[in-house]
Amino acid sequence: MSGFRSVPIYRLSGIDERCAAKQHPHRADGFTLIELLITVVISAILLAAAAPSFRTFVQNSRLDGAADYFLASLQQARSEAITRGDPVILCRTADSSTNSCGTSAANDWSSGWLMYVKEGYSGSGGGTDYNSGTDGPPLKRGGPAPDGVTITSDSDGNRWLTFFADGALNEGGDAAYAVCDDRGAQAGKLIVVRLVGRPY
């Protein structure tokens, strides 16, 4: 018939394969119960192995932070004394939000400390007259040590430390402070202040 034209039929690439694929059920991707249980068991073993290391990391961080902060306070007290030309005292306290020195347990600096300028302080009596002179507001209030951390002094650093204007320490001997946690001395930090006043 002369009035009709032939229309070409185009084959769609891959259509036969797609149609054929629908005739067969496809296996679903995912984990079997056994695979999931094995993954959970391996994860639990890895977590159990990592837990002690993480606890040690946290303890070390708290200990280092407390020791560094206390050492920085000692260094600041000495620096303030040299800069101001007046003695500066660092004293332990049971509550650093108050202005009261020496009310915590003997040799225990864990509750905090205060830093004062002591104008007119003579340093006579080996530091026993630390309350003499003019007290202004504390230059610094050191908050309590982190949970589980203790700061304990020897007898020379028991109640307070006095730094004179030349940076020297007014105590009977070198003052020492042990920063520890429940692991004891093996993990503790020792801070020593020499009579020349330089803490390390």
Side-chain angles (χ1 to χ4, degrees):
M1 297 175 64
S2 60
F4 292 92
R5 290 187 303 171
S6 61
V7 178
I9 298 175
Y10 295 97
R11 182 182 178 191
L12 297 178
S13 175
I15 194 168
D16 292 338
E17 291 82 357
R18 292 192 186 94
C19 291
K22 290 185 178 180
Q23 297 174 7
H24 305 285
H26 184 68
R27 180 176 178 269
D29 292 330
F31 292 107
T32 65
L33 181 59
I34 298 299
E35 291 171 335
L36 183 60
L37 288 175
I38 291 173
T39 302
V40 170
V41 169
I42 292 174
S43 299
I45 292 172
L46 292 175
L47 286 174
S53 297
F54 181 72
R55 181 174 185 270
T56 300
F57 173 77
V58 171
Q59 287 179 310
N60 288 342
S61 296
R62 287 179 177 173
L63 205 62
D64 290 344
D68 290 345
Y69 183 64
F70 190 67
L71 178 61
S73 296
L74 294 170
Q75 291 169 333
Q76 181 184 350
R78 184 172 188 260
S79 177
E80 290 284 354
I82 295 171
T83 302
R84 294 171 180 268
D86 281 307
V88 172
I89 285 181
L90 203 69
C91 63
R92 60 177 169 81
T93 179
D95 183 358
S96 60
S97 65
T98 69
N99 294 344
S100 182
C101 284
T103 55
S104 61
N107 304 101
D108 183 13
W109 290 66
S110 308
S111 298
W113 55 89
L114 303 172
M115 185 187 300
Y116 281 107
V117 178
K118 301 296 291 185
E119 297 177 4
Y121 176 67
S122 65
S124 61
T128 55
D129 61 339
Y130 81 104
N131 280 323
S132 68
T134 303
D135 285 342
L139 294 177
K140 183 175 184 177
R141 300 175 186 273
D147 290 341
V149 176
T150 59
I151 302 175
T152 309
S153 71
D154 62 0
S155 58
D156 286 301
N158 179 19
R159 294 187 68 182
W160 62 83
L161 282 181
T162 306
F163 293 93
F164 285 126
D166 62 357
L169 195 63
N170 179 42
E171 300 299 336
D174 297 344
Y177 299 86
V179 185
C180 301
D181 57 18
D182 59 7
R183 293 173 293 175
Q186 61 179 357
K189 307 288 183 181
L190 182 65
I191 299 174
V192 177
V193 188
R194 296 292 190 192
L195 283 174
V196 293
R198 196 177 301 276
Y200 69 94

